[in-house]
Amino acid sequence: MSAPLAAAALPREAGPKPAAARPGGPVKKLQTALSQHSKDAKQRAAAILEVLAGSRTPTQAAQALGVSLGRYYLLEDKALAALVAACEPQPRGPSPNGARRVASLERECERWQRECARQQALVRAAQRTIGLAAPPPPTAKDKGKKRRRRPVVRALAAAQRLRAEPPAAVLSTATPGAS
């Protein structure tokens, strides 16, 4: 066998496939994204891209879409703003999720409760070893007691002054034509 024929008979090394041939590549993602939008939205996007590419004038695109030229320019501005917003860098890692955060905090709370119970057991064991009596548990009447907040005297005095008499500046401006 000659050398060129032998090379043709050998299997080709598997290189990267083109983007269109890859099963989750950019073409498939674009098709999936486009299938979620209405026909009107797709037509508007195509017309705007044609104007930006230079194959149509804005007037022609407005006529094709059946909108005024001013409306076309508003659509173009919104499309460009959405393009720029979509090009913002995305944060790395998973996005914040409220449910995931709650689950994490619940696990942490359970861990701290176990740690507290462990420390309490160690304290009780140490007290028994040394021979100290455990403190008595709090009684029911101690639990419900709350101190009543005392009013701030300065605030009450200031409120009473405001209620008692109007400011002198208001009186002097209110009666200039009376004399």
Side-chain angles (χ1 to χ4, degrees):
M1 232 158 66
S2 66
L5 290 177
L10 294 174
R12 292 180 63 190
E13 290 185 27
K17 293 181 181 179
R22 275 185 270 162
V27 173
K28 181 67 175 175
K29 290 179 184 176
L30 178 64
Q31 289 170 347
T32 304
L34 290 179
S35 68
Q36 298 172 356
H37 299 287
S38 69
K39 183 179 178 182
D40 288 341
K42 292 176 193 175
Q43 287 176 343
R44 289 175 179 175
I48 291 169
L49 288 173
E50 289 172 352
V51 170
L52 294 176
S55 63
R56 276 192 186 198
T57 64
T59 307
Q60 292 171 340
Q63 289 172 349
L65 293 174
V67 297
S68 68
L69 187 60
R71 177 73 177 145
Y72 166 78
Y73 281 122
L74 288 175
L75 290 171
E76 185 179 279
D77 286 345
K78 284 175 66 175
L80 290 175
L83 173 67
V84 170
C87 291
E88 283 291 328
Q90 298 295 316
R92 298 180 71 93
S95 61
N97 184 347
R100 194 173 18 219
R101 176 83 172 132
V102 167
S104 170
L105 289 173
E106 285 175 347
R107 284 192 307 270
E108 186 176 352
C109 182
E110 290 170 3
R111 182 175 69 87
W112 286 115
Q113 286 173 344
R114 286 191 308 267
E115 179 66 21
C116 180
R118 187 177 84 75
Q119 292 294 330
Q120 288 173 345
L122 287 172
V123 167
R124 286 191 303 271
Q127 286 174 342
R128 280 192 305 267
T129 304
I130 314 174
L132 289 176
T139 60
K141 70 176 184 179
D142 291 342
K143 287 184 181 179
K145 264 191 179 176
K146 285 190 176 180
R147 283 184 47 186
R148 186 167 175 241
R149 185 174 178 268
R150 296 181 68 177
V152 177
V153 176
R154 289 183 303 140
L156 293 177
Q160 192 165 2
R161 278 194 307 261
L162 289 173
R163 278 192 224 109
E165 58 185 270
V170 173
L171 289 177
S172 64
T173 60
T175 58
S179 45

